[in-house]
Amino acid sequence: MSFFGFDTTLPRDKGGKSGGRDSAFDPVFDPTGGIDDDDTLDAKIKALAAGAQEDVEIYTWGQEGYDGLGDKLEEANDELNEDTFGALGDDIAGKDFDFGATTSLGEPSHGDSSQQSSAFDHPKPKRDNKNAFATSLDEFWTTPAPRFGAPPQNDIFVGMQQQQKLEDLPSSQATRGSARTLEEIEAEMLAARNKANPPSSSQPQQPQDARRPLTLEEVEAEMLARRSTGAPPAQPAQPPPLPQQPPQGILGGQPPAQHLAGMPAGLSALLQGQQPTAHQRTDSRGPPTAGYTHSPQSSMALPGMPMPPPMGPGARVIPGMQPPQAPAAMQATAQAQVQAQAEHFARMRALLEATPPVVQQSILALPPPMQFDALESVVRAFPRLLDPSNRDPAAGGASLEEQEAVKFMMEKVQAYIAEMERVETKRKVRMNKIASMARYNGLMSGSDKDFITRIQISQLVTPDPYADDFYAHIYFALRGGPMRPGIGPLPGSAPSQQTKAGKGRQRLNRQQNAMLRMQQQVERIVQNRKERIEKSANGATLEGALGRVSLSSTKNPRQMLQISSDATKKAEDKSNSNAEAVSGARDAIREALAGASLGEGGQRQGADGQKRDPLGRHEVLRILEKLYDTVLALEQLRRNAPPTASSPRSPEGEGKSMSEEEEEALKAWQSKQAALTALLWKELRVLEPLEISDPHPFVSLLSSAKGKRLLPRALRHLSPEQTLTALTMVVASFETLDVVRKAHLLDDSSDDPSKSEAKADIERQTETFANTIVPSMLILASTAPMRIVSGMLALFVERNNVIKVAQTRPGVAFLTIFLSRAESLRQGGSTSGSDGPSKDELDQWRQIFGLLFSRLTSKGQLPSLFPSTRAKAALPFGVGYYLGGGLGQSARSALGGAGGKYRNADVEDEPVWNLMAALAVSASMEQQQVLVQELREKILENVISAKEWSTRNGGVNAAGDELGPDLRIRNVNLLLHALNLDAAQITV
Amino acid sequence: MSYRENLRSYLLTDPSGPKPTNQSLAKMLIFSAFKTLTGQQVTIELKNDLAIQGTLKSVDQFLNFKIDNIRVLDEARHPHMMAVKSAFIRGSVVRYVHIPAAAVDTQLLEDATRREASSQSGR
C-alpha cells in the first residue's frame, strides 16, 4: 500500500487482483452487484456522499476520519423501494460476491456459468434504477461525469449479508459443482460481470449491443467527446415529451416531505411499467431529467387531479426541483430539515399560483432545476405581479409588466446557463488534468513508495519539533506570519487545537477538511514512528555492542558504532579533571565571597574584602552564553506554563478544583522556574561585593552589547526587588561602565583612523545602552517612590564623579530620569496629597539635590556638559577665533570639517538642555540664579549665533543648515521656559 | 501529501536519500529561517556564477528554492535566461543567498542558534 493507504493501481490491473478490499476503490468493479436491500442502498448513499467530495477525499483516510453523516440518513420511507427496484424476493439475491459463503461452508459450489449469468441478468434493471438514482441525486443535471470511486465502505459487510441470505436459500447450490480454484471463479465472475454491467456505473450506458468492458479512460474520453460536440447534458433545453402516466406517488396528494426522502421512489414510479431496456440511457439526458420535466399538456389532461390545472404543474415541478438540493438533504436528513423543505415547496407552489399565467407558463417552460430560482427572483423583482388586483382581466394578454417579468426571467436564466457552462468548463479542465496525470499511475513500485515514505517520515520525526522550528515559529508569532496550514501550528501543539476547531466549526470547506485529515494522518504516522524509536532505544542498547537495531531519523541517525555513553563521559571527565580542579577552586572562593557579601548587603569596604581580577573578555562571554541559555529556558518555561487556578480557564474546564495531576504539574513547573530564576540571579553576579574587582563582575557583564541586551530580558524574570538591586548596582558603579569610561572617545574629533574603530564601537555600545538599560531604568523609576529615587540619586552622586558621568549620554539620561521622576512626585504630592512623599522625604530630596547641584556647578564646569562646548574646546584656536570677525562662514565649515559633526553637536546638546531644564525646575531661587550664571555664556552664544545666522542669510535658511538656528533657539528655550523666560526676550 | 507528491519528492530529491549528519541538524535552523523569508526579494548565487534575483516562493528541508519573477543579474552573459520567469533551484547548487536584512530578526536568530546548540549538546 502507499503512504496513505489508498490504492494506486490502474483499473485494468485491478481485474486480475482478488476482489478483497481493493475493490472498494474501484469504480468499475461493483461488488454490490445487483443486490437491492437497505444496506446496499445505505452503502450507495454513503459512497455518494463521499463521491460528492473532491477526488482527493474519496480515499478514506482511516475510519476515524469518517464524519458519520451517512449514519444520520433517514431509514424511513422505504415503502416504495419495491416500486423502485422491482419486487425483490429473497431468492434472487446476487451470488456474485459469494466468496465467504462458499468457502466457509466448505462447499466450493458455484453454479455453472449460465446460472450465474442469469443471476446477474436479473437484477440488472434494478441496477439501472440505482444508477439513475445516483446520477439524479448527485449531479442531476450538471454533468454525468464519471465518479472515481464512490465506494461503499462496508461492502464486506454487505457481502456477509448476502452470505446469510444465501444460506437461507433452499438452494441446490450446495450440491452443485465441483471444486474450482479461486482464480477460475474470479475470472468467470469477471466475465459475467462485464457482460452484465457495462462499466462505470454512473455513466450513460452503452447501447445494449456494445457490451464490451470499457476502461475508465475510454469512458472518459468518450464522455469528453460527447460533451464537447453535443449539447451539454447539463442543459436540457427542451424536455422530451413524456408519454407515460404520471406516477401515483407524486400526484396522489402525498405530502411533499415524502418525496424528499423518497426521491428514488418518485423516479422509479415514473418509470414504472416500462421495459427495462427503456432505462438504457442512450441519450445523455437520461430518464431522470426527462422524468422530472414538466409537460403541461399531459398534466392538464390528468384525471383525478386533486388540484386545479394551474396547480398541477406546480406540483409536478416539485420533484424536479429536488435534485439540486438532494445532496444537501443527504448530508443531513434530519426531520426538521425535511419539514423546512416541505414548507419551502409549499411556499414555492403558492408563489407560482399567484403569478400571472404568462409568467407561470414561462417559468414552467424552463429546465426544472432553474424553476425555483427563476420564480423567486421574478417575485422579488416584480412584487406587484403577485397582486391579482393589478392584473387586467380585460386585457386578456399579458400586461406590460408581465412581459417585462418574463424578459427579466429569461435574462436571469441566460446568466444561469452561462454560469453552468463556466462550471462545466472548469470541470472539463480538471478532468483533463487528472487524465493527463493518469499516465504516471503505477510508475513507482510498492517498495519505491515505501522507500520515499521512510525518508519523508524520517524528516518529520523529531524529538522536539519546537526546537527545530524555533525561529520561524517565534518569528511568525512576533510579526504575524501567514497562517498557512503547512506552517500553522506546530506538530506538538496541533492536535488539541485542531480537535477544538473541528468541534467549533463543522463546516470546514473541503480543502480544509482534507488538509486537516492529512495533518492528522501524518501526525499519527509520526507519532507511531517516534514511539517505535523510543522503544527500540530503550530495549536494544547493549553495552559495547557494535551496531544495533534502531530506526533512524535525520535527527537521530543510525549509529554504526555503539559506544557506551558512560565510557565517553569517563574519558572526558579525566581530561577535564585538571582544568576543573583549578576553576573549581576559584569558583569556591567566589561562592564564599558571594555568600559573605549577602549578609552585608554588598556594602563591604575594599579594605577587608578580597580583591580579584576583573572578569576577562572570554569569561564574560561564556557567562553571558550561560545566562542566555537560562533566560531562554525561562522563556520557554513561561510559554509552556501549566494552567493555574488564577489564570482564566476554558469554560468547559472541569469545574473549579484542580485535579491532583494538574497541581503536581504546576508545582513541578514552579519549582523548576524558581531554580532557573535563582541560577539566573546568581550568574548575573549582582550581589557580589562592590569592591571585589574593578570593574565589578556585573559591570563587566554589561560591557558587551550582548550583556546590555540581556539585562532587560533577564529582569523580566526577576522579582521587583531583584530588579531594583540590579539597577542600583548599575547606578552605584556607573563610573566604571564601559559607556562612561570610554565616553571621551566620542568627543574626540580627530580623524585618527586608529581610533575610529574604537569610536564606532563605543558609539554602538552607547546606542545599545540607551535602547536597553535606560528604558529598564525608566520603567523602574516611573513607579518608584520618593525614597528610592532619593537613594538612587544619592548613590549616583556619592559614588561617581558627577561631572565626568554627566558628560556622557547615559549619565545625562539617568540624571534626567531621576530629576523628572522626583519632580512629578513632588507635584503629584502637592496636588493629591495622599500618595505623595512625606515631608521628611522631601527634605532629604532637597539635600541630595543640593549636593548634586553644587557638585555640578562647583568648578564652573557646567557648560562642559554640552557636547558642542567640548567639541569647540578641542579646536586648536579656541571658539572665539571662529566666531569672531567675518570668518563666520568659513569657521562653520572648519568646525564642520574638524568636528565632523558640528551640526549634530546641537542635536546632541538637546538632552543636556533637557537636563538643565530639569535642574532648573527642581532648583531653588538661588540655585536657579547660579544656574543661569553658569550657563549665561552658553545661552548667549546660542542665541547670538542663531540670530546672526538668520540676519546673514536674510531670514531665509540656507540650504544644508535648516536645523541649526532653530534648533539652537529651541534648545535654549528648553531651559528658559523652565525659568519662565523666552529666548525672544534676550536682546543682543 | 499524496502519491503525486510522493512521486514529486522522489524525483526532486537525492535518490540515494539524505545522509543524516550534523549538517542536516544545522540545516533545520537555516530552513526555519528561510521559511520566514518567503515572499521576499532574494538573490541566489549559484555555484556556476549565475546570480538570480526573484521572489522567494518556497523552500524545503534540502534548501531547494522556488523563485518567481526571476531576473538574472548579468543578463549580457546569460541571454538564454531572459525568457525564464520562474525557477526551481536545487539546494546543492546554491553558493550564496542574499537576503533582505530587514526581514531577519538577528536576536531571534541568535536565540535560535543557542537553542539548537544547547539541544545538540544535551543529546
Side-chain angles (χ1 to χ4, degrees):
Chain A
M1 287 307 284
S2 66
F3 194 163
F4 291 113
F6 48 80
D7 192 2
T8 48
T9 26
L10 280 173
R12 64 179 140 75
D13 301 337
K14 220 159 271 181
K17 281 196 173 185
S18 65
R21 78 195 153 154
D22 286 343
S23 63
F25 306 105
D26 190 348
V28 182
F29 190 99
D30 188 358
T32 51
I35 292 91
D36 292 315
D37 54 26
D38 294 347
D39 296 306
T40 334
L41 195 62
D42 273 356
K44 265 276 183 209
I45 290 169
K46 281 180 199 171
L48 278 166
Q53 317 265 15
E54 241 172 314
D55 54 336
V56 247
E57 269 206 70
I58 290 167
Y59 313 111
T60 47
W61 307 78
Q63 298 301 315
E64 291 104 304
Y66 175 54
D67 54 11
L69 284 175
D71 302 328
K72 291 186 197 157
L73 287 174
E74 205 176 359
E75 301 285 349
N77 296 327
D78 287 332
E79 320 69 62
L80 294 169
N81 279 1
E82 284 203 353
D83 293 355
T84 312
F85 304 116
L88 184 65
D90 277 347
D91 51 339
I92 46 159
K95 301 168 214 149
D96 55 328
F97 204 60
D98 192 21
F99 305 122
T102 45
T103 46
S104 70
L105 289 172
E107 289 161 339
S109 57
H110 272 274
D112 53 23
S113 52
S114 70
Q115 198 147 2
Q116 282 236 339
S117 59
S118 77
F120 277 114
D121 285 340
H122 192 91
K124 190 170 66 67
K126 288 166 278 167
R127 246 184 86 72
D128 288 344
N129 275 338
K130 277 203 299 173
N131 293 341
F133 161 59
T135 319
S136 61
L137 271 184
D138 197 5
E139 24 188 89
F140 156 58
W141 84 308
T142 48
T143 171
R147 285 267 156 220
F148 290 127
Q153 296 189 356
N154 50 354
D155 53 298
I156 294 166
F157 172 67
V158 172
M160 279 160 58
Q161 290 242 335
Q162 292 167 12
Q163 175 194 329
Q164 275 180 351
K165 266 186 196 148
L166 283 174
E167 280 169 354
D168 292 341
L169 290 178
S171 133
S172 56
Q173 280 176 346
T175 56
R176 211 187 313 129
S178 57
R180 284 188 292 176
T181 66
L182 190 59
E183 283 77 16
E184 279 177 298
I185 296 169
E186 265 176 81
E188 197 176 66
M189 281 178 56
L190 208 62
R193 184 164 49 78
N194 284 337
K195 219 160 77 186
N197 310 323
S200 66
S201 52
S202 61
Q203 292 292 314
Q205 290 184 2
Q206 298 295 306
Q208 198 98 1
D209 48 356
R211 270 189 180 174
R212 71 187 176 83
L214 291 179
T215 66
L216 190 59
E217 285 84 350
E218 283 174 302
V219 173
E220 260 171 42
E222 191 192 347
M223 292 239 353
L224 286 173
R226 189 184 306 161
R227 235 186 296 150
S228 53
T229 54
Q235 298 142 38
Q238 313 98 357
L242 265 192
Q244 81 271 41
Q245 290 180 341
Q248 284 303 318
I250 286 177
L251 295 178
Q254 288 192 10
Q258 282 265 341
H259 299 310
L260 270 179
M263 255 308 298
L267 170 61
S268 69
L270 252 174
L271 303 170
Q272 219 175 23
Q274 289 187 341
Q275 290 296 314
T277 47
H279 296 270
Q280 300 288 339
R281 288 163 60 193
T282 49
D283 185 293
S284 54
R285 304 182 232 112
T289 317
Y292 294 133
T293 322
H294 144 74
S295 57
Q297 293 82 6
S298 64
S299 69
M300 297 265 199
L302 274 176
M305 276 280 279
M307 303 164 238
M311 193 74 171
R316 294 286 308 279
V317 159
I318 287 164
M321 287 304 159
Q322 285 166 358
Q325 287 153 359
M330 277 174 54
Q331 297 255 331
T333 353
Q335 197 63 38
Q337 200 171 339
V338 173
Q339 224 130 44
Q341 279 205 335
E343 278 161 27
H344 181 62
F345 288 140
R347 197 170 64 82
M348 282 294 138
R349 193 184 304 177
L351 274 181
L352 189 71
E353 267 179 277
T355 48
V358 181
V359 181
Q360 222 175 80
Q361 291 295 333
S362 51
I363 287 177
L364 293 177
L366 293 174
M370 297 179 194
Q371 290 175 347
F372 270 12
D373 283 345
L375 177 58
E376 256 184 309
S377 59
V378 160
V379 168
R380 216 176 300 127
F382 301 91
R384 267 156 47 89
L385 284 182
L386 293 182
D387 191 354
S389 63
N390 280 338
R391 273 175 230 162
D392 184 9
S399 75
L400 194 68
E401 189 171 24
E402 284 169 15
Q403 278 169 352
E404 256 176 51
V406 170
K407 214 173 111 197
F408 166 82
M409 202 172 61
M410 283 311 167
E411 277 164 13
K412 277 248 166 191
V413 167
Q414 286 297 330
Y416 187 59
I417 287 174
E419 169 76 12
M420 293 315 295
E421 258 165 7
R422 234 186 42 238
V423 171
E424 182 64 15
T425 4
K426 237 170 112 185
R427 181 186 274 276
K428 225 187 269 180
V429 167
R430 223 173 64 105
M431 295 302 297
N432 275 337
K433 218 168 142 190
I434 291 173
S436 72
M437 280 187 305
R439 272 190 303 156
Y440 302 110
N441 284 354
L443 203 63
M444 289 165 77
S445 74
S447 64
D448 285 348
K449 283 181 232 164
D450 270 356
F451 182 67
I452 299 300
T453 307
R454 251 206 319 278
I455 290 172
Q456 284 180 330
I457 289 179
S458 81
Q459 291 287 343
L460 290 168
V461 172
T462 157
D464 184 5
Y466 190 85
D468 285 337
D469 210 16
F470 179 79
Y471 179 79
H473 190 66
I474 303 289
Y475 185 91
F476 286 134
L478 288 177
R479 300 208 184 180
M483 281 332 275
R484 278 187 285 145
I487 288 180
L490 282 164
S493 59
S496 58
Q497 281 175 7
Q498 276 168 3
T499 45
K500 250 183 225 160
K503 261 180 222 161
R505 42 202 167 103
Q506 287 278 5
R507 294 181 174 244
L508 294 165
N509 69 33
R510 277 184 214 158
Q511 271 172 342
Q512 283 172 319
N513 227 331
M515 196 55 100
L516 203 73
R517 282 195 218 168
M518 195 182 88
Q519 277 180 350
Q520 283 164 352
Q521 177 89 7
V522 171
E523 223 167 74
R524 236 192 341 263
I525 292 170
V526 167
Q527 194 58 41
N528 285 346
R529 178 84 168 199
K530 229 194 267 185
E531 276 161 17
R532 271 168 66 200
I533 286 177
E534 273 163 25
K535 233 193 263 166
S536 75
N538 289 339
T541 332
L542 288 170
E543 177 118 5
L546 287 179
R548 62 167 174 158
V549 187
S550 73
L551 296 152
S552 54
S553 74
T554 45
K555 307 292 154 339
N556 183 23
R558 185 203 301 270
Q559 280 171 301
M560 288 306 156
L561 190 59
Q562 181 67 35
I563 299 170
S564 154
S565 51
D566 294 341
T568 46
K569 234 179 222 161
K570 262 178 232 157
E572 268 177 20
D573 283 351
K574 235 176 241 171
S575 64
N576 284 344
S577 58
N578 286 336
E580 294 264 320
V582 176
S583 67
R586 217 196 288 167
D587 272 349
I589 295 169
R590 195 183 302 164
E591 222 106 300
L593 281 172
S597 71
L598 272 175
E600 300 175 33
Q603 288 299 316
R604 250 151 61 129
Q605 291 305 303
D608 50 316
Q610 270 168 294
K611 280 272 185 184
R612 186 160 32 106
D613 285 342
L615 293 173
R617 180 166 168 72
H618 288 278
E619 269 178 299
V620 166
L621 291 179
R622 210 170 297 132
I623 293 166
L624 279 178
E625 279 311 314
K626 212 166 166 189
L627 280 169
Y628 265 110
D629 281 347
T630 318
V631 168
L632 278 174
L634 272 168
E635 278 169 1
Q636 178 65 26
L637 213 55
R638 186 174 276 191
R639 268 182 227 115
N640 298 341
T644 55
S646 58
S647 73
R649 311 197 73 194
S650 49
E652 70 261 29
E654 325 72 65
K656 286 173 211 158
S657 65
M658 286 166 73
S659 70
E660 291 267 311
E661 224 167 82
E662 278 178 340
E663 227 161 321
E664 282 291 292
L666 184 61
K667 261 184 201 157
W669 183 81
Q670 278 168 341
S671 67
K672 208 171 165 192
Q673 197 195 26
L676 277 172
T677 313
L679 178 69
L680 178 68
W681 184 236
K682 193 183 135 242
E683 286 291 327
L684 270 176
R685 293 162 162 76
V686 174
L687 284 186
E688 295 197 10
L690 264 181
E691 308 294 335
I692 189 168
S693 64
D694 184 32
H696 187 267
F698 179 60
V699 173
S700 298
L701 290 183
L702 291 183
S703 67
S704 74
K706 238 189 205 178
K708 291 188 184 74
R709 275 193 221 111
L710 173 75
L711 191 67
R713 279 176 77 178
L715 291 183
R716 268 205 293 275
H717 300 280
L718 297 173
S719 67
E721 293 79 37
Q722 285 169 327
T723 308
L724 180 64
T725 316
L727 287 174
T728 309
M729 195 60 160
V730 173
V731 169
S733 44
F734 209 81
E735 219 176 14
T736 57
L737 286 172
D738 63 326
V739 283
V740 176
R741 265 205 294 203
K742 296 182 193 159
H744 62 271
L745 283 172
L746 288 175
D747 292 332
D748 193 342
S749 54
S750 70
D751 279 339
D752 190 354
S754 65
K755 281 184 186 165
S756 66
E757 201 176 316
K759 217 166 119 182
D761 181 57
I762 193 66
E763 180 70 48
R764 196 170 63 92
Q765 296 287 355
T766 310
E767 195 71 19
T768 317
F769 189 90
N771 287 334
T772 55
I773 300 180
V774 172
S776 298
M777 190 67 220
L778 198 59
I779 289 164
L780 177 78
S782 67
T783 55
M786 194 59 158
R787 197 170 38 79
I788 287 180
V789 179
S790 300
M792 286 274 198
L793 189 61
L795 206 58
F796 195 80
V797 175
E798 276 304 316
R799 290 197 51 87
N800 304 301
N801 177 350
V802 179
I803 288 287
K804 190 186 166 204
V805 169
Q807 281 178 357
T808 65
R809 270 185 269 163
V812 170
F814 266 55
L815 278 175
T816 313
I817 288 173
F818 295 143
L819 290 178
S820 50
R821 173 62 186 165
E823 187 54 32
S824 67
L825 274 172
R826 283 202 314 169
Q827 281 174 5
S830 63
T831 52
S832 66
S834 59
D835 215 21
S838 68
K839 200 173 172 304
D840 287 350
E841 282 174 345
L842 283 176
D843 280 342
Q844 193 193 15
W845 166 253
R846 219 162 286 138
Q847 273 179 10
I848 294 165
F849 178 76
L851 188 65
L852 169 74
F853 194 82
S854 64
R855 292 254 169 114
L856 279 175
T857 55
S858 60
K859 291 166 202 156
Q861 279 186 319
L862 199 56
S864 73
L865 262 54
F866 293 95
S868 60
T869 311
R870 296 202 296 274
K872 278 172 199 161
L875 292 173
F877 300 107
V879 182
Y881 173 79
Y882 293 97
L883 288 177
L887 279 169
Q889 194 66 29
S890 58
R892 189 170 306 283
S893 60
L895 276 168
K901 310 255 158 89
Y902 178 77
R903 246 182 59 220
N904 282 1
D906 284 326
V907 178
E908 282 175 34
D909 274 356
E910 197 181 331
V912 186
W913 284 109
N914 263 322
L915 173 65
M916 292 305 141
L919 277 172
V921 168
S922 304
S924 66
M925 279 308 257
E926 303 88 59
Q927 283 170 334
Q928 282 184 354
Q929 276 187 353
V930 175
L931 191 68
V932 173
Q933 200 72 37
E934 286 279 328
L935 292 178
R936 189 188 146 80
E937 247 181 59
K938 185 79 193 162
I939 295 169
L940 284 179
E941 175 200 314
N942 262 3
V943 173
I944 288 168
S945 70
K947 285 200 174 161
E948 216 172 278
W949 180 253
S950 58
T951 51
R952 192 173 297 158
N953 289 287
V956 184
N957 280 337
D961 203 9
E962 321 80 11
L963 270 173
D966 288 348
L967 186 66
R968 259 171 251 159
I969 293 288
R970 214 166 59 216
N971 278 344
V972 171
N973 272 339
L974 282 174
L975 170 63
L976 293 184
H977 285 172
L979 297 166
N980 283 328
L981 293 170
D982 191 278
Q985 295 170 322
I986 297 173
T987 50
V988 188
Chain B
M1 191 90 49
S2 68
Y3 158 64
R4 225 180 297 140
E5 266 165 60
N6 265 339
L7 174 66
R8 206 194 59 167
S9 57
Y10 176 77
L11 293 175
L12 295 185
T13 55
D14 192 352
S16 63
K19 306 265 184 330
T21 59
N22 276 342
Q23 266 186 345
S24 72
L25 290 173
K27 246 193 219 166
M28 282 314 287
L29 172 63
I30 307 299
F31 172 42
S32 189
F34 269 118
K35 260 200 259 181
T36 66
L37 290 172
T38 47
Q40 303 280 355
Q41 195 77 7
V42 296
T43 307
I44 299 177
E45 277 185 45
L46 307 188
K47 286 176 182 170
N48 63 358
D49 290 338
L50 194 65
I52 303 174
Q53 194 170 53
T55 315
L56 185 62
K57 292 310 274 186
S58 68
V59 184
D60 64 14
Q61 72 233 16
F62 306 106
L63 301 186
N64 300 325
F65 294 95
K66 223 189 254 176
I67 51 173
D68 256 9
N69 301 324
I70 65 166
R71 192 174 67 82
V72 175
L73 287 193
D74 191 359
E75 283 194 324
R77 257 186 74 198
H78 308 281
H80 60 286
M81 291 294 290
M82 298 222 325
V84 185
K85 286 285 155 264
S86 68
F88 179 91
I89 300 174
R90 197 182 196 274
S92 67
V93 302
V94 173
R95 183 180 287 146
Y96 298 118
V97 183
H98 301 258
I99 55 180
V104 183
D105 189 333
T106 328
Q107 279 221 213
L108 185 58
L109 200 55
E110 282 175 15
D111 284 356
T113 322
R114 288 189 184 103
R115 274 191 74 94
E116 190 151 285
S118 68
S119 75
Q120 242 166 295
S121 65
R123 184 164 298 143

